[in-house]
């Protein structure tokens, strides 16, 4: 127990504290921006980010992963806030937390195994593009000083690690922010700062209960939004956990992460914050800055609160160009450049899925829709591929009046037509034997195809024997098939 706590909390203290500080700085403008998107006060996003980050550090299933208020979740809240106000948003946040806890209890995190590698790659690439696009407003219609500061920031980020000794001791994104802030304060340049994004809170969050009627009408209002927030939040969190798993070559507990997200959102709603989820951009910043354990996530939340409440005068002076440089670094580091090179050797179906996910996510700015489309496409390609792996061979009997067919492969809705086409119904036979020892029947379409084959042979005057069905296939055939029932011809017409 003690060894486990030391490993997950205190095995990387210096790097975790520094990485958490960098993440906290990057969270401030994003939390404010997401609050503006949702149509609420910046305090709502900042309190949510602090609370979710701290709680998920203890309750989450992925050490080193950052969760807070996110743009994907904020986009789903805009209509609810516009039509019903902040209090209903807080109520929806609480219900989202409850639904996510149930998802964890029901072990829905296991559904991540249905997400293929091509979907994950497309998701990552699309997110990298969205992160970069989100920085463009800060680089549009600005003076040359902003471009110079951003370029200098990128130079510091990529070159500082080569400085002897201290280059490996301190995370370059933090040095970038400190140096550019110093330059801004010394020069007095007229450029946007964090303070221009919105007013920072000056008090600690307090416990509050949403001021909404506790009745069925309220549930009807918030339930559709809570379901959407639950699905999007868990999907983005699971994808984030998978990516951090890959970056750190470790495993995470997806079901614990589901429960942790729920507990974090419940806590956020009770402290006046909006619902959030895993953040790939900030998680990548944390990992790239050296963060590995739960301590880095906890530090990000605690430092965020300290900065916005007690050091707001200093934080408000951080130039946005410094944070833009950090986010561009995240965008470049997040994008899977290998996926472009590997397109030549990957199957066409894999490339189609990856590119489709990127296009859908970038076009809709909705990660959940992109992942859903990607999973659907992957399933269709897989079903089509497996459906083609069906072989039907035959051997004529010694007297020439019988034939044995051997079926090898999977029979289901995509291969059922090929299964029927594998038999010759015009051959004059007295006896047909169908060997299914190396076949498996998966659905009612497959059973219907078997019925069709048997009845067609019988209409041609042949006796049909079916042998070798495995237990699962036999159970399905016994329950659904009609070829051995009275009036089989009539039953098949409605089968």
């Amino acid at each position: 127990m003690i060894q486990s706590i030391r490993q997950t909390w205190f095995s990387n203290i210096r790097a975790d504290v520094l990485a958490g500080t960098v993440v906290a700085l990057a969270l401030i403008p994003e939390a404010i921006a997401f609050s503006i998107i949702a149509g609420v006060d910046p305090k709502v996003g900042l309190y949510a980010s602090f609370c979710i980050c701290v709680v998920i550090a203890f309750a989450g299933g992925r050490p080193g992963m950052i969760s807070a208020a996110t743009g994907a979740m904020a986009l789903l809240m805009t209509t609810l806030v516009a039509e019903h106000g902040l209090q209903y948003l807080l109520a929806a946040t609480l219900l989202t937390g409850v639904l996510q806890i149930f998802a964890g209890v029901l072990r829905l995190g296991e559904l991540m195994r249905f997400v293929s590698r091509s979907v994950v790659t497309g998701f990552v690439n699309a997110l990298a593009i969205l992160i970069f696009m989100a920085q463009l407003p800060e680089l549009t219609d600005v003076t040359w000083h902003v471009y110079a500061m951003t370029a200098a920031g990128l130079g510091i980020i990529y070159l500082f690690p080569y400085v002897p000794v201290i280059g490996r001791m301190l995370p370059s994104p933090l040095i970038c922010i400190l140096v550019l802030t110093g330059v801004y304060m010394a020069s007095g340049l007229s450029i946007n700062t964090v303070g221009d994004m919105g007013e920072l809170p000056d008090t600690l969050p307090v416990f509050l209960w949403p001021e909404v009627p506790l009745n069925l009408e309220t549930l009807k209002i918030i339930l559709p939004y809570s379901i959407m927030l639950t699905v999007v939040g868990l999907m983005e969190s699971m994808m984030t956990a998978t990516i951090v798993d890959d970056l750190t070559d470790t495993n995470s507990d997806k079901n614990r992460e589901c429960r942790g997200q729920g507990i974090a959102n419940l806590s956020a709603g009770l402290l006046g914050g909006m619902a959030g989820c895993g953040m790939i951009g900030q998680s990548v910043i944390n990992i790239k800055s050296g963060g590995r354990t739960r301590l880095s996530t906890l530090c990000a939340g605690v430092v965020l609160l300290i900065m916005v409440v007690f050091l707001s005068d200093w934080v408000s002076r951080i130039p946005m160009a410094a944070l833009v440089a950090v986010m561009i670094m995240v965008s470049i580091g997040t994008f899977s450049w290998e996926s472009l090179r590997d397109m030549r050797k990957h199957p066409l179906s894999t490339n189609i899925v990856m590119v489709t996910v990127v296009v859908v996510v970038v076009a809709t700015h909705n990660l959940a829709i992109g992942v859903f489309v990607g999973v659907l496409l992957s399933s269709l390609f897989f079903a089509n591929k497996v459906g083609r792996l069906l072989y039907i061979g035959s051997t004529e009997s010694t007297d020439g009046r019988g034939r044995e067919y051997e079926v090898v492969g999977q029979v289901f809705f995509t291969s059922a037509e090929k299964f029927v086409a594998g038999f010759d119904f015009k051959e004059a036979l007295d006896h047909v034997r169908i060997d299914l020892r190396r076949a498996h029947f998966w659905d009612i379409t497959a059973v219907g195809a078997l019925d069709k084959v048997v009845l067609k042979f019988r209409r041609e005057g042949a006796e049909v024997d079916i042998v070798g069905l495995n237990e699962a296939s036999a159970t399905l055939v016994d329950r659904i098939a009609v070829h051995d029932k009275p009036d089989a011809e009539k039953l098949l017409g409605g089968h």
Side-chain angles (χ1 to χ4, degrees):
M1 179 68 177
I2 296 177
Q3 181 63 30
S4 176
I5 293 175
R6 183 180 294 113
Q7 181 65 32
T8 57
W9 279 94
F10 306 113
S11 60
N12 190 40
I13 295 177
R14 182 186 60 81
D16 284 335
V17 172
L18 292 173
T21 302
V22 175
V23 171
L25 290 167
L27 279 173
I28 295 171
E30 295 228 337
I32 296 173
F34 298 150
S35 299
I36 294 171
I37 290 173
V40 296
D41 189 279
K43 294 179 182 179
V44 177
L46 288 167
Y47 286 156
S49 294
F50 148 73
C51 182
I52 294 172
C53 227
V54 169
V55 173
I56 208 68
F58 294 92
R62 172 64 261 180
M65 179 173 139
I66 304 298
S67 296
T70 65
M73 300 285 270
L75 288 170
L76 300 175
M77 305 170 186
T78 53
T79 305
L80 176 62
V81 174
E83 295 181 357
H84 301 283
L86 174 62
Q87 296 302 318
Y88 280 86
L89 172 60
L90 299 181
T93 298
L94 294 179
L95 182 56
T96 298
V98 172
L99 293 176
Q100 289 179 332
I101 291 174
F102 275 125
V105 172
L106 295 175
R107 304 186 66 81
L108 295 185
E110 301 295 335
L111 294 177
M112 270 304 295
R113 59 196 174 93
F114 293 105
V115 180
S116 67
R117 174 58 53 184
S118 54
V119 175
V120 174
T121 302
F123 177 90
V124 169
N125 290 345
L127 187 70
I129 294 172
L130 290 181
I131 291 173
F132 179 79
M133 291 174 61
Q135 311 313 311
L136 295 181
E138 294 297 329
L139 299 173
T140 305
D141 297 326
V142 295
T143 64
W144 67 269
H145 306 92
V146 175
Y147 297 114
M149 292 275 277
T150 304
L154 288 170
I156 293 172
I157 288 172
Y158 287 109
L159 297 177
F160 183 77
Y162 294 101
V163 176
V165 185
I166 62 171
R168 294 186 179 182
M169 293 177 58
L170 300 174
S172 60
L174 177 60
I175 301 301
C176 165
I177 293 171
L178 294 176
V179 170
L180 294 191
T181 302
V183 171
Y184 164 76
M185 294 175 64
S187 64
L189 294 172
S190 180
I191 59 177
N192 285 340
T193 63
V194 170
D196 297 323
M197 295 288 293
E199 183 182 355
L200 298 177
D202 54 6
T203 60
L204 295 172
V206 295
F207 176 85
L208 57 89
W209 184 261
E211 297 178 2
V212 297
L214 298 178
N215 54 33
L216 189 59
E217 187 64 31
T218 298
L219 182 61
K220 288 180 180 179
I221 293 172
I222 65 174
L223 183 59
Y225 293 97
S226 295
I227 291 175
M228 288 190 296
L229 290 169
T230 297
V231 173
V232 172
L234 290 183
M235 191 175 294
E236 191 163 351
S237 298
M238 296 301 100
M239 298 291 279
T240 302
T242 299
I243 291 166
V244 176
D245 288 351
D246 290 343
L247 289 173
T248 59
D249 197 25
T250 56
N251 295 320
S252 58
D253 186 337
K254 302 296 191 300
N255 293 308
R256 179 179 175 181
E257 186 62 38
C258 289
R259 298 192 298 272
Q261 291 290 332
I263 297 170
N265 280 321
L266 267 177
S267 304
L270 293 173
L271 291 178
M274 60 197 221
C277 63
M279 302 184 77
I280 294 183
Q282 272 63 28
S283 296
V284 172
I285 290 177
N286 190 42
I287 299 302
K288 298 287 187 182
S289 299
R292 290 294 182 276
T293 73
R294 297 181 182 275
L295 181 62
S296 62
T297 308
L298 177 63
C299 285
V302 172
V303 172
L304 171 65
L305 185 67
I306 292 173
M307 285 182 173
V308 299
V309 175
F310 301 106
L311 302 175
S312 57
D313 289 342
W314 290 94
V315 172
S316 63
R317 299 181 186 181
I318 296 175
M320 287 301 299
L323 297 174
V324 167
V326 173
M327 296 311 293
I328 290 177
M329 177 270 291
V330 171
S331 175
I332 295 172
T334 301
F335 194 91
S336 176
W337 301 100
E338 295 82 5
S339 64
L340 299 181
R341 185 186 66 240
D342 292 342
M343 288 182 73
R344 293 183 177 180
K345 61 182 180 181
H346 282 172
L348 179 61
S349 59
T350 297
N351 295 331
I352 291 176
V353 171
M354 190 267 287
V355 172
T356 300
V357 172
V358 172
V359 171
V360 172
V361 171
V362 173
T364 64
H365 284 230
N366 191 317
L367 299 170
I369 294 177
V371 172
F372 175 77
V373 171
V375 171
L376 181 60
L377 270 180
S378 296
S379 301
L380 291 175
F381 282 129
F382 175 76
N384 180 62
K385 183 179 294 184
V386 174
R388 292 176 182 273
L389 302 177
L390 181 68
Y391 167 77
I392 301 178
S394 67
T395 305
E396 188 178 12
S397 63
T398 54
D399 60 5
R401 301 302 300 167
R403 184 172 291 276
E404 178 175 345
Y405 287 91
E406 181 186 21
V407 182
V408 180
Q410 313 300 312
V411 187
F412 59 113
F413 60 91
T414 67
S415 59
E417 186 175 340
K418 185 176 181 180
F419 172 77
V420 175
F423 297 89
D424 182 5
F425 302 106
K426 300 303 181 182
E427 186 179 13
L429 299 171
D430 293 333
H431 183 266
V432 173
R433 187 172 187 267
I434 303 176
D435 184 354
L436 300 175
R437 284 177 296 179
R438 300 172 64 187
H440 189 96
F441 286 72
W442 288 97
D443 56 14
I444 61 173
T445 307
V447 176
L450 181 62
D451 283 335
K452 185 180 294 186
V453 168
V454 172
L455 293 177
K456 278 191 173 186
F457 274 124
R458 286 178 180 171
R459 280 200 297 265
E460 298 298 329
E463 180 183 343
V464 182
D465 286 335
I466 298 173
V467 298
L469 275 172
N470 60 44
E471 184 176 352
S473 299
T475 301
L476 188 66
V477 170
D478 290 343
R479 188 169 72 245
I480 300 173
V482 300
H483 60 261
D484 282 338
K485 293 182 173 59
D487 297 323
E489 293 279 357
K490 294 181 180 179
L491 290 173
L492 184 62
H495 184 45

